[in-house]
């Protein structure tokens, strides 16, 4: 049985659906601080065999009890606070949730002799890029508390491997976009700062979309980023778990498209895909935003057999449908 922490959240719920579609036995663990009960209800409605436990990783007894009640073989650790700006103003919240929560999870794994874990990490561990594209050997030097907490958990995994024999795969995501193709789940967090999610909110709910800086040294003056679909990310989790169970070898993989899109290119793609116009305001640059950032994901393709399938247009369409659904739910 596979334990999915944060399985009511954006990436965790998509991964849960991916596994359930492949007839895997799963137990989802979430405290609904970011995730949503409505998503769990929909998952269980479609897959009555899915198990759900409401609990908080910051409470060791709550997560340890899951291992006592269920025969857990592997863990997909998707639970984390993930808003960079929020982490800067409230680092305590991030260290408590992301680091302490992960420590409790690992301690429960040790106590219950569970040896396999896949970690949802982030490209934010790299900090300012020294070269492009960014591969797994790039120096790690996070520039915000969120990235620092992710790097701390990665370090914990290495130490727990040496001491207790836990094997891990670390997945460092770049910019995740899109929603479930069947409109069952998607990004649902009021403070979200991701580009396409914010664009969809403006389109569905009205308002002006802000571009932060159009004077970067790029082809059109706006920042260039690497975007990867959430369904492709979910596929990577299954492939990573299969790799880990088969090979019992710890690894780190970047997950990205290996292609950069500028903010204006994304904006134009949204306009064309949805056949709409968008009110835009150009604002000053945000501090710390590099001009260009994209991944080298060859390692994941070669070792995991991971080949992202979803187009940018698919990501836009699914994100739009999901945000329309959210508006009707509120």
């Amino acid at each position: 049985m596979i334990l999915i922490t944060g399985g009511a959240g954006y990436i965790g719920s998509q991964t849960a659906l991916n596994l359930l579609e492949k007839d895997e036995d799963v137990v989802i663990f979430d405290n609904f601080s970011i995730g949503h009960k409505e998503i769990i209800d929909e998952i269980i409605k479609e897959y009555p065999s899915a198990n759900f436990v409401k609990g908080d990783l910051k409470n060791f007894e709550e997560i340890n009890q899951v291992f006592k009640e269920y025969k857990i073989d592997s863990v997909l650790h998707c639970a984390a606070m993930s808003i960079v700006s929020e982490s800067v103003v409230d680092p305590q919240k991030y260290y408590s949730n992301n680091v302490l929560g992960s420590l409790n999870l690992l301690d429960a794994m040790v106590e219950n002799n569970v040896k396999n874990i896949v970690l949802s990490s982030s490209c934010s561990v790299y900090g300012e890029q020294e070269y492009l594209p960014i591969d797994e050997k790039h120096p790690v030097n996070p520039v915000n508390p969120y990235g620092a907490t992710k790097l701390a958990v990665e370090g914990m995994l290495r130490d727990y491997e040496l001491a207790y024999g836990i094997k891990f795969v670390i997945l460092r995501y770049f910019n995740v976009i899109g929603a479930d193709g069947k409109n069952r789940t998607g990004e649902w967090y009021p403070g979200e700062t991701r580009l396409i999610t914010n664009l969809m909110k403006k389109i569905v709910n009205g308002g002006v979309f802000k571009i932060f800086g159009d004077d970067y040294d790029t082809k059109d003056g706006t920042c260039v980023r690497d975007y990867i679909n959430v369904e492709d990310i979910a596929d990577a989790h299954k492939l990573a778990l299969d790799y880990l169970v088969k090979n019992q070898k710890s690894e780190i993989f970047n997950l990205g498209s290996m292609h950069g899109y500028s903010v204006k290119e994304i904006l134009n793609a949204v306009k064309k895909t949805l056949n709409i116009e968008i009110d835009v305001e150009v604002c000053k640059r945000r501090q710390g935003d590099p001009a260009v950032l994209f991944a080298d994901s060859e390692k994941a393709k070669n070792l995991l057999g991971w080949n992202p399938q979803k187009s940018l247009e698919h990501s836009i369409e699914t994100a739009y449908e999901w945000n329309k659904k959210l508006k009707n739910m509120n």
Side-chain angles (χ1 to χ4, degrees):
M1 181 170 284
I2 302 166
L3 170 64
I4 306 174
T5 67
Y10 179 35
I11 293 169
S13 61
Q14 189 71 62
T15 301
L17 286 166
N18 180 288
L19 291 170
L20 288 163
E21 287 168 357
K22 294 176 172 63
D23 296 321
E24 298 282 358
D25 293 323
V26 305
V27 54
I28 297 168
F29 185 85
D30 203 296
N31 65 359
F32 295 141
S33 61
I34 296 176
H36 297 269
K37 182 178 182 296
E38 294 91 335
I39 289 176
I40 294 300
D41 290 343
E42 189 150 350
I43 290 175
I44 293 176
K45 181 180 178 181
E46 184 172 356
Y47 297 100
S49 64
N51 303 283
F52 174 72
V53 176
K54 184 178 180 182
D56 195 325
L57 285 177
K58 296 192 296 295
N59 185 317
F60 172 76
E61 292 304 326
E62 289 183 2
I63 183 58
N64 195 44
Q65 187 60 34
V66 176
F67 286 91
K68 301 297 184 186
E69 291 185 10
Y70 297 90
K71 186 174 176 54
I72 305 298
D73 303 305
S74 303
V75 177
L76 299 182
H77 184 25
C78 300
M81 300 287 185
S82 60
I83 306 301
V84 169
S85 57
E86 183 183 51
S87 79
V88 174
V89 299
D90 193 2
Q92 188 276 337
K93 178 179 180 181
Y94 276 67
Y95 278 94
S96 176
N97 189 83
N98 296 0
V99 179
L100 175 60
S102 299
L103 178 62
N104 285 336
L105 174 64
L106 288 172
D107 285 346
M109 290 177 64
V110 171
E111 180 166 321
N112 295 279
N113 198 34
V114 176
K115 299 294 188 181
N116 299 313
I117 182 170
V118 176
L119 172 68
S120 296
S121 191
S122 168
C123 66
S124 64
V125 300
Y126 294 118
E128 296 292 338
Q129 80 275 13
E130 295 185 9
Y131 58 82
L132 291 171
I134 294 175
D135 59 20
E136 292 83 359
K137 295 179 181 179
H138 189 285
V140 288
N141 185 27
V143 295
N144 54 66
Y146 167 62
T149 63
K150 285 296 189 181
L151 187 59
V153 177
E154 290 188 10
M156 288 161 54
L157 290 178
R158 294 186 181 90
D159 293 337
Y160 272 57
E161 178 181 28
L162 290 173
Y164 310 114
I166 288 177
K167 298 298 181 181
F168 61 83
V169 167
I170 293 169
L171 300 177
R172 292 173 176 165
Y173 315 151
F174 280 65
N175 294 275
V176 185
I177 58 174
D180 177 54
K182 297 180 181 178
N183 208 25
R184 297 166 294 182
T185 185
E187 199 161 32
W188 186 358
Y189 188 61
E192 188 48 67
T193 58
R194 290 188 175 98
L195 172 62
I196 288 184
T197 298
N198 279 333
L199 256 173
M200 295 307 142
K201 287 180 180 178
K202 300 301 181 186
I203 293 167
V204 171
N205 300 307
V208 177
F209 177 72
K210 295 181 179 180
I211 294 177
F212 294 97
D214 64 351
D215 57 350
Y216 287 91
D217 185 18
T218 60
K219 51 191 168 185
D220 61 21
T222 61
C223 289
V224 173
R225 294 291 183 270
D226 191 336
Y227 298 94
I228 191 72
N229 181 272
V230 67
E231 294 170 285
D232 287 324
I233 291 284
D235 286 338
H237 279 80
K238 178 64 167 65
L239 292 169
L241 185 57
D242 291 344
Y243 175 90
L244 187 59
V245 171
K246 178 181 178 180
N247 296 285
Q248 286 298 290
K249 182 183 179 184
S250 297
E251 287 285 1
I252 299 174
F253 297 101
N254 285 343
L255 299 182
S257 68
M258 299 183 65
H259 176 80
Y261 291 97
S262 74
V263 175
K264 286 184 179 178
E265 285 176 329
I266 293 291
L267 190 62
N268 289 332
V270 170
K271 289 178 179 179
K272 181 178 179 181
T273 301
L274 302 180
N275 193 26
I276 58 168
E277 290 299 321
I278 304 168
D279 291 330
V280 176
E281 177 186 355
V282 177
C283 305
K284 292 182 179 179
R285 295 185 184 189
R286 292 181 299 197
Q287 186 176 1
D289 273 349
V292 181
L293 199 63
F294 60 96
D296 183 336
S297 299
E298 284 294 333
K299 184 178 178 182
K301 292 183 178 182
N302 292 335
L303 293 187
L304 299 182
W306 180 64
N307 287 293
Q309 300 294 314
K310 305 302 182 185
S311 66
L312 177 60
E313 290 74 20
H314 174 81
S315 295
I316 291 168
E317 289 167 353
T318 54
Y320 177 60
E321 292 301 322
W322 173 249
N323 276 273
K324 286 199 299 182
K325 181 177 180 176
L326 284 184
K327 184 178 181 179
N328 293 330
M329 291 170 63
N330 295 329

